Amino acid sequence: MRLRLPVGGLASILVLAACGGVGSDSGADEGSEGQIDGSITTLGFGGEDEIGMARVRAVEEAYADLDVKINSGAFDEQQFLNAVSSGNPPSLIYLPRSELGTYAARGALVPLTECIDQQSIDMGQYLDSAVAQVTYDDEVYGIPEFSSVRLLLANTDALQEAGLPADAVSVADWDQLAQSTRTLTQLGSAGIQRIGFDPKIPEFLPLWTAALGGQLVSEDGLTAQLDSPEAVQALEYTAGLVNDQGGWSEFKAFRDGWDFFGGQNQFVADQVGAFPMEDWYLDVLADVSPDAPVTALPFTDTTGVPLTYATGQAWAIPVGAGNTDAACAFAATMTSTDTWLAAAEASKADREKSGGEYLGTWTANEEADERILDEVYEPSGNAALDDAVQVVRSVQSVAVVDPPSPAAAEVKRAWEDASLRVLQGDQTAQEALTQAQEEAQTAIDEALR
Amino acid sequence: MTAGQLAALVSSVVVVLAFVYPFWWLVSASLKPREDVFDNGFWPDPLQPANYVEVWNQLPITTWLFNSLVVGVAAAVAVTVSSALVAFGFAYFDFRGRTVLFWCVLATMMLPGVVTLVPTYLLWDQLGLATTQVPLWASNLFGSAFYVFLLRQFFKSLPRDTLDAARVDGCGYLSMFWRIVVPMSKPALAITFIFEFQASWVDLLRPLVYLQDPELFTLPRGLKAVLDQFGQGGEREWELVLAANVIATVPMVVLFIIGGRYVVQGITISSGDKE
Amino acid sequence: MSVRRSRVAYAFIAPWAVGFVFLTLGPILATLFLSLTDYDALPGAETSFIGLDNYRQAFSEGTPGTALLNTGFYALLYVPLSVVIGLSMALLLRRAGRATGLLRTVIYLPVVTPPVATGILFLLLLNGQEGLINAVLGWLHLPTPFWTTDPAWIKPGIVIMSLWSVGSVAIILFAALGDVPQTLLDAAQIDGAGPWSRLRHVILPMISPALFFIVITNTIASLQLFSEVYTMYFGAQTTNPPEAALFYVVHVFEEAFTFLHMGYASALSWLLFLVIAVVTAVQLAMSRKLVFYRGDA
């Protein structure tokens, strides 16, 4: 027999909420109808870089009576839960889209239907995949920002040396890829010298599963499908690739030893043949080794159609926050096409000032993306980088994403752990994913209770 | 040179090398240009002290340093004084409930702080102090189990004769405490102060959860805001992050060099014993 | 040192007692209460009283047990090593003469090195293929395991990282060594006792209160190890946290803040409390024979 405790009762058992905390002043809360004033606070937005600061300035210019307080630093659950528990949530939170469903499912976020209506936000301007990630149970809970995709980066020198054409590492043909991997891998007595192909397992398991046409979680985020045939096959195949290259322990240790962010990175030092990677790594390469022998290729499914896996952030409004009108206006302005354009200009100017290259900004706002590429971006003359930018552009619209799930973190942990068990040789892919499936589905069911 | 002295010398050299290395790596990496930061090279080549200049200009380091200093001193002083008093109570006296109470003291160390975070926050919130620096040091006014235990052990090692002699001379307990016990316990008290200052200096969680106003940020909180850009498609300015971390460490090293002298002492007063 | 003066004693203890009642006890009882609910720290969902279900779940799931074993294994390795190495360094410091100040600062440096840097640095140092530690081991013809990726060696790797900060232990023991009366040592030497004998029969008993403190607090701290492990293997910039690195409090933290099962996390915490209390009680009981307080004569 369960005793239902009203949450209010629980709060009064602990303490009574008082003033202070992260929320806005109780004074100038709602403002008059239609007017955007008072103050708002954000949590989870770094905002210290040019792209962030330029956009915040745009908001401040648009709404002179609005006081915006950015609490800088990445989204931290401890910070957020404390603020919420004391009855003083921030006006807006900024968090990875994949985590949104967890809070939405527990009723911690305000559905944005009214907000979208009031601010006339055109949800169509955002990427479908991004909007899917912020929609839970048919309600929109977030305004998307940024879309980071994955593409294949190949070491052209290594391929040439092995006498392989660029598409030898294409993901369209898994048998061929396995073959190329074996050719490109160099094992030595002192340890691995070069990894042929790093499939990035566990991280990219969703991508590999999608390449076979499968999904780890159903579209509505409520049914785990970790033991689906596609997932099992994807895990088996990629774990096999790792085993062919020295086994997980050595493989990972070698990879950890790369000067990943530095001038002697794995492309310069010829330590890798190819691997899928997030697009921000192009910025790093442009910065520290612009002449490295890198080619960017789209990841594909097994029929050769380009495919990618996208992640990004979103603005959401916690339940109980004051001044929702202003919060909504803030989010709308931060992600509008014009604001993004201004930010892109600022970012480009900043890069050029420090002698770097501007490689475009991927905003999750399709309209903004196109205009940035047309009006702000200029090819650098470095063929590899310029081509890479075009690849990123081409795959933005074919992204798969993690559906918003009430137990996103636990589901992810389930398949990550399963992958590790397979890589370490403790279980087969089928066994591991069957176990993971049970764990994941239990977690989802628990969260919905 | 005897075998013993040789062994000591060799061990010392090994210890110095092993223990200085992490710090050396940090300083060296902080002086490198961005693409070399993780190359594990012993010496920065080229040397880029401009990293420090840029950190100083770009980040409000002075504000953060000042805040960390204020909070650190408050925390360390509060905990040293209060823990010493409480520890003396447990060490010198026999009283009803001593064992039970001491167990309660120890017990407060045994529950992971992870889950008391939210209720504790709510408590400070009810006191209206949840956005101030007060929660970062005020709980130290009531002693801390770790230092109560530490100081109790040291106090119990003091020779009873000396303390009893003071009592015979008509000293009140508090007076005896200040005039006899405290001077004899300088090393332990110095350790308490230094350790707590250090703990406060590197504490990120409490500033993160309690402080909203950037003017009040302590160093770790400020650095987090800088470091977190990396996860958001930001600037990845590793060399600046490491330089900021070195700047953050300097006051602690200075404090330790100064305070370290208090940690050395033998017994100065005892009947029948000579140092 | 037993002076029966309860009222004065209570006066000295008062600061702690006041703080305990008003600041500490409330949150502690709150978590005990929460451990009997399915609270998730968010106001939106309803919270129910579920009795001992959280505790039952802790026993039926494999993860808490694994986490506890990981943590226990680490503690068993770390605590004795920290005492031995800490004491060795303290003794070394005592003989250092003019270099004492320098050595003292040097061994404390790792303690003040920021956790950010330490975490990054150790992932580099412990790397199986490129790391400095394996380079040294290889030079000495010792085995060179994969400290960061081989499940069997991950915990020993974390022990090594923790031992870097053994300077704190050394400083405390160094201060304790200062209280060993020179007269006793001289007398022992005159009686023909060699260095080992002096160590065993004079020094160790005289510093036993400090040693006891180190053992107890290091055990309690080891069983609650969180930050270092979380930074190395679970932080935002890492992926693939290996199960071998799942320490108990890391598991508690994730349940509370990542998976939003605050009630369950509270139950897990109280179970750890029980474990620690039992271990400490055993250590306290053993100490009766082994610890010597000069003030208790």
Side-chain angles (χ1 to χ4, degrees):
Chain A
M1 209 332 260
R2 275 153 188 261
L3 277 173
R4 294 229 149 237
L5 280 177
V7 171
L10 184 66
S12 63
I13 289 169
L14 293 172
V15 256
L16 293 164
C19 311
V22 192
S24 43
D25 293 339
S26 40
D29 246 15
E30 294 303 322
S32 28
E33 172 105 11
Q35 207 170 327
I36 305 295
D37 57 12
S39 76
I40 54 171
T41 50
T42 73
L43 192 75
F45 186 62
E48 303 285 323
D49 57 0
E50 273 309 311
I51 295 195
M53 291 199 294
R55 291 183 294 135
V56 175
R57 278 196 297 268
V59 173
E60 287 170 343
E61 276 166 38
Y63 300 107
D65 293 326
L66 182 64
D67 178 28
V68 176
K69 295 200 187 78
I70 307 273
N71 192 327
S72 54
F75 183 75
D76 183 282
E77 290 94 345
Q78 289 174 288
Q79 220 183 358
F80 179 55
L81 291 178
N82 275 303
V84 159
S85 298
S86 66
N88 283 288
S91 320
L92 288 148
I93 54 174
Y94 186 75
L95 73 172
R97 291 200 281 273
S98 52
E99 295 179 21
L100 206 110
T102 308
Y103 292 109
R106 288 170 172 77
L109 300 179
V110 172
L112 298 180
T113 354
E114 215 181 275
C115 153
I116 292 172
D117 206 36
Q118 221 176 46
Q119 293 293 322
S120 311
I121 303 179
D122 171 22
M123 292 306 288
Q125 69 186 331
Y126 304 116
L127 283 168
D128 289 341
S129 56
V131 175
Q133 274 192 300
V134 299
T135 310
Y136 180 75
D137 204 18
D138 289 328
E139 292 256 29
V140 173
Y141 286 94
I143 306 293
E145 269 199 16
F146 293 113
S147 174
S148 175
V149 297
R150 285 103 181 107
L151 47 160
L152 267 182
L153 297 176
N155 176 351
T156 39
D157 279 358
L159 285 172
Q160 222 171 26
E161 187 200 307
L164 293 172
D167 67 4
V169 291
S170 152
V171 186
D173 183 343
W174 286 17
D175 289 327
Q176 185 196 243
L177 179 59
Q179 189 69 293
S180 311
T181 305
R182 266 165 281 188
T183 314
L184 287 166
T185 304
Q186 284 175 347
L187 303 171
S189 54
I192 304 178
Q193 298 302 312
R194 181 169 75 204
I195 287 178
F197 186 89
D198 174 12
K200 297 295 269 298
I201 291 293
E203 308 89 296
F204 292 171
L205 187 62
L207 182 58
W208 289 97
T209 309
L212 291 171
Q215 259 185 318
L216 290 178
V217 181
S218 64
E219 289 282 334
D220 59 8
L222 301 178
T223 313
Q225 296 167 325
L226 300 184
D227 57 357
S228 60
E230 295 89 355
V232 174
Q233 192 187 346
L235 183 54
E236 222 168 58
Y237 174 72
T238 47
L241 284 180
V242 172
N243 282 333
D244 280 347
Q245 300 178 75
W248 175 242
S249 258
E250 300 195 28
F251 183 88
K252 181 159 195 291
F254 176 66
R255 195 177 69 186
D256 287 344
W258 289 348
D259 185 19
F260 199 73
F261 291 101
Q264 285 299 309
N265 60 53
Q266 62 279 3
F267 288 104
V268 172
D270 196 23
Q271 292 169 312
V272 73
F275 64 99
M277 188 63 207
E278 288 100 332
D279 59 321
W280 54 257
Y281 193 59
L282 292 171
D283 286 326
V284 174
L285 289 175
D287 211 3
V288 303
S289 60
D291 299 319
V294 187
T295 310
L297 303 163
F299 200 90
T300 67
D301 66 16
T302 46
T303 68
V305 174
L307 174 71
T308 190
Y309 171 55
T311 53
Q313 276 75 30
W315 291 103
I317 299 181
V319 165
N323 213 349
T324 30
D325 291 342
C328 191
F330 177 87
T333 314
M334 288 290 280
T335 58
S336 77
T337 308
D338 291 324
T339 314
W340 278 120
L341 270 171
E345 294 274 5
S347 177
K348 178 174 164 198
D350 188 55
R351 288 283 172 86
E352 286 173 353
K353 200 167 57 157
S354 51
E357 290 297 333
Y358 175 68
L359 297 178
T361 309
W362 308 102
T363 67
N365 177 333
E366 276 184 300
E367 210 180 278
D369 281 353
E370 283 302 307
R371 283 191 64 185
I372 289 175
L373 275 179
D374 289 337
E375 297 169 33
V376 182
Y377 168 71
E378 277 163 15
S380 58
N382 180 325
L385 290 175
D386 293 342
D387 288 345
V389 171
Q390 296 305 322
V391 172
V392 175
R393 172 194 210 162
S394 69
V395 295
Q396 285 285 348
S397 50
V398 289
V400 299
V401 290
D402 296 321
S405 161
E410 289 167 278
V411 170
K412 182 154 187 262
R413 181 52 60 80
W415 57 254
E416 277 182 343
D417 280 351
S419 308
L420 275 176
R421 289 195 297 271
V422 173
L423 285 166
Q424 283 161 197
D426 298 331
Q427 281 179 318
T428 66
Q430 183 67 62
E431 289 166 354
L433 286 174
T434 308
Q435 182 185 336
Q437 168 67 18
E438 207 188 292
E439 291 166 358
Q441 194 58 55
T442 312
I444 294 177
D445 295 336
E446 284 272 324
L448 290 174
R449 209 163 25 89
Chain B
M1 203 189 275
T2 67
Q5 283 177 314
L6 184 62
L9 182 64
V10 171
S11 324
S12 304
V13 172
V14 170
V15 164
V16 169
L17 289 177
F19 278 65
V20 170
Y21 182 70
F23 198 73
W24 174 259
W25 180 89
L26 175 64
V27 173
S28 176
S30 71
L31 287 166
K32 293 180 182 165
R34 187 174 314 174
E35 57 269 15
D36 293 344
V37 168
F38 296 105
D39 68 0
N40 271 337
F42 191 75
W43 201 263
D45 177 29
L47 195 70
Q48 194 168 293
N51 292 346
Y52 283 83
V53 175
E54 214 183 315
V55 165
W56 199 267
N57 291 336
Q58 262 196 42
L59 307 174
I61 291 256
T62 30
T63 312
W64 297 341
L65 273 172
F66 177 73
N67 289 330
S68 281
L69 199 65
V70 166
V71 170
V73 168
V77 168
V79 93
T80 309
V81 171
S82 58
S83 303
L85 288 166
V86 175
F88 183 67
F90 278 113
Y92 188 69
F93 301 95
D94 184 15
F95 54 93
R96 265 168 72 113
R98 182 177 70 172
T99 318
V100 171
L101 279 174
F102 192 63
W103 256 99
C104 282
V105 172
L106 286 186
T108 58
M109 286 198 280
M110 299 183 197
L111 188 68
V114 173
V115 290
T116 48
L117 182 70
V118 174
T120 308
Y121 179 86
L122 290 174
L123 186 59
W124 287 110
D125 190 54
Q126 192 185 27
L127 294 172
L129 294 169
T131 54
T132 67
Q133 290 175 338
V134 173
L136 273 54
W137 55 266
S139 51
N140 281 354
L141 289 169
F142 306 103
S144 146
F146 181 83
Y147 301 110
V148 167
F149 190 9
L150 174 72
L151 291 170
R152 174 224 192 222
Q153 299 301 92
F154 273 87
F155 290 162
K156 281 184 81 151
S157 305
L158 295 174
R160 183 174 164 226
D161 326 359
T162 319
L163 301 179
D164 288 350
R167 284 284 301 149
V168 163
D169 286 348
C171 237
Y173 286 111
L174 197 57
S175 180
M176 175 181 85
F177 175 71
W178 283 117
R179 291 219 231 116
I180 313 281
V181 176
V182 166
M184 286 176 79
S185 309
K186 281 209 211 112
L189 293 171
I191 287 177
T192 303
F193 186 91
I194 292 172
F195 280 20
E196 182 62 13
F197 189 87
Q198 159 74 8
S200 164
W201 194 259
V202 300
D203 180 22
L204 172 61
L205 183 59
R206 278 186 297 188
L208 181 63
V209 159
Y210 290 105
L211 299 177
Q212 311 304 332
D213 179 2
E215 288 296 305
L216 296 178
F217 280 3
T218 57
L219 265 170
R221 179 64 185 92
L223 291 180
K224 173 183 163 65
V226 170
L227 186 65
D228 279 347
Q229 289 182 63
F230 301 147
Q232 295 186 7
E235 311 299 311
R236 275 172 283 275
E237 296 166 319
W238 299 103
E239 74 282 12
L240 299 187
V241 171
L242 292 181
N245 272 290
V246 172
I247 295 179
T249 314
V250 168
M252 265 315 304
V253 178
V254 168
L255 171 72
F256 188 72
I257 294 179
I258 298 175
R261 283 194 224 125
Y262 290 96
V263 179
V264 190
Q265 182 192 285
I267 299 182
T268 48
I269 317 159
S270 17
S271 52
D273 290 339
K274 322 194 268 283
E275 170 22 45
Chain C
M1 188 132 341
S2 308
V3 180
R4 189 111 200 156
R5 284 276 190 276
S6 293
R7 260 188 309 159
V8 184
Y10 291 145
F12 274 98
I13 311 282
W16 176 82
V18 167
F20 182 69
V21 167
F22 289 105
L23 268 180
T24 318
L25 196 58
I28 288 183
L29 291 178
T31 63
L32 188 59
F33 175 75
L34 288 175
S35 74
L36 303 172
T37 69
D38 61 3
Y39 182 59
D40 61 9
L42 291 169
E46 275 189 30
T47 307
S48 320
F49 187 78
I50 58 172
L52 294 175
D53 275 1
N54 283 331
Y55 292 94
R56 277 186 215 115
Q57 187 184 347
F59 281 101
S60 67
E61 276 193 19
T63 324
T66 313
L68 193 59
L69 279 173
N70 283 342
T71 315
F73 178 78
Y74 165 84
L76 274 170
L77 267 185
Y78 174 70
V79 177
L81 280 175
S82 69
V83 171
V84 168
I85 297 181
L87 184 58
S88 312
M89 295 211 304
L91 289 169
L92 189 67
L93 264 181
R94 277 277 150 195
R95 306 184 58 160
R98 257 171 290 174
T100 308
L102 172 71
L103 257 184
R104 201 174 54 226
T105 310
V106 161
I107 65 176
Y108 198 60
L109 269 181
V111 180
V112 300
T113 308
V116 167
T118 315
I120 299 173
L121 180 63
F122 266 86
L123 282 176
L124 290 173
L125 282 173
L126 290 170
N127 186 281
Q129 194 162 336
E130 306 282 319
L132 196 62
I133 293 183
N134 272 3
V136 170
L137 287 175
W139 186 71
L140 295 170
H141 294 289
L142 292 170
T144 56
F146 284 91
W147 303 97
T148 57
T149 53
D150 186 343
W153 291 96
I154 284 181
K155 287 184 281 289
I158 299 177
V159 169
I160 292 182
M161 184 173 83
S162 302
L163 284 174
W164 228 263
S165 309
V166 77
S168 310
V169 172
I171 297 288
I172 292 177
L173 291 177
F174 176 71
L177 285 174
D179 284 349
V180 175
Q182 190 60 35
T183 48
L184 274 182
L185 284 169
D186 291 341
Q189 194 163 20
I190 290 172
D191 282 349
W196 283 113
S197 193
R198 287 203 297 277
L199 180 69
R200 264 189 69 201
H201 296 289
V202 180
I203 296 182
L204 283 183
M206 293 307 289
I207 64 170
S208 58
L211 282 173
F212 177 61
F213 168 79
I214 302 282
V215 169
I216 299 256
T217 53
N218 269 6
T219 307
I220 295 178
S222 304
L223 292 171
Q224 295 185 50
L225 190 67
F226 173 71
S227 296
E228 294 82 345
V229 181
Y230 194 79
T231 314
M232 274 182 90
Y233 290 107
F234 290 84
Q237 70 279 11
T238 65
T239 49
N240 329 323
E243 209 183 37
L246 187 69
F247 278 47
Y248 198 86
V249 177
V250 175
H251 182 51
V252 173
F253 175 87
E254 291 204 306
E255 286 292 341
F257 292 101
T258 315
F259 305 150
L260 299 179
H261 298 311
M262 203 61 89
Y264 180 56
S266 302
L268 286 176
S269 299
W270 278 100
L271 285 173
L272 183 68
F273 174 87
L274 284 175
V275 169
I276 295 181
V278 167
V279 170
T280 307
V282 168
Q283 288 172 325
L284 275 173
M286 295 199 318
S287 81
R288 239 144 273 204
K289 293 276 169 61
L290 298 170
V291 181
F292 163 70
Y293 295 108
R294 282 176 69 192
D296 270 352

